[in-house]
Amino acid sequence: MKRLRLPPAALALFGVAALLRVAYLLQNRSNPFFAHPIIDGWEYLARARAILADGILWDQVPIHAPLYPTLLAGLFAVVGENFTVLYAIQHGLGLATLFLVSRIARDGFGPGAGLLAL
């Protein structure tokens, strides 16, 4: 199995991306909508709460895809309604996506493209 090595410049950019996400998360905690999502976020949260309360995944045809509220209910079952943990996981997934896109670009188009994709 190949080791997943990042060149120093890519590692630095990835580190900056991670620090920006942490700074955003810490700063955004004072936002009044941080733990009270609106519009689609509210619907996902309401569906997750219904899954936790009733154990019913689908009692009606969902407006949105059902996977996210189901995963949200699972997360809330483990850690409670902790929005900081939820958003931290989402930021981690964003960093993983950034890494994967960079790897795909590097493997497909060369090291410069991989660095540019970051």
Side-chain angles (χ1 to χ4, degrees), residues 10 26 42 91 115:
L26 294 175
W42 179 86
H91 286 303
L115 192 59

Side-chain angles (χ1 to χ4, degrees), residues 7-21 95 98 114-118:
L11 190 58
L13 286 173
F14 191 78
V16 167
L19 287 175
L20 286 174
R21 282 171 168 78
L95 286 171
L98 183 65
L115 192 59
L116 187 61
L118 284 173

Side-chain angles (χ1 to χ4, degrees), residues 58 64-72:
W58 301 283
H64 301 290
L67 182 61
Y68 184 73
T70 305
L71 293 175
L72 191 59

Side-chain angles (χ1 to χ4, degrees), residues 54-77:
D54 302 332
I56 299 172
L57 292 179
W58 301 283
D59 57 347
Q60 59 189 6
V61 176
I63 295 173
H64 301 290
L67 182 61
Y68 184 73
T70 305
L71 293 175
L72 191 59
L75 176 68
F76 285 168

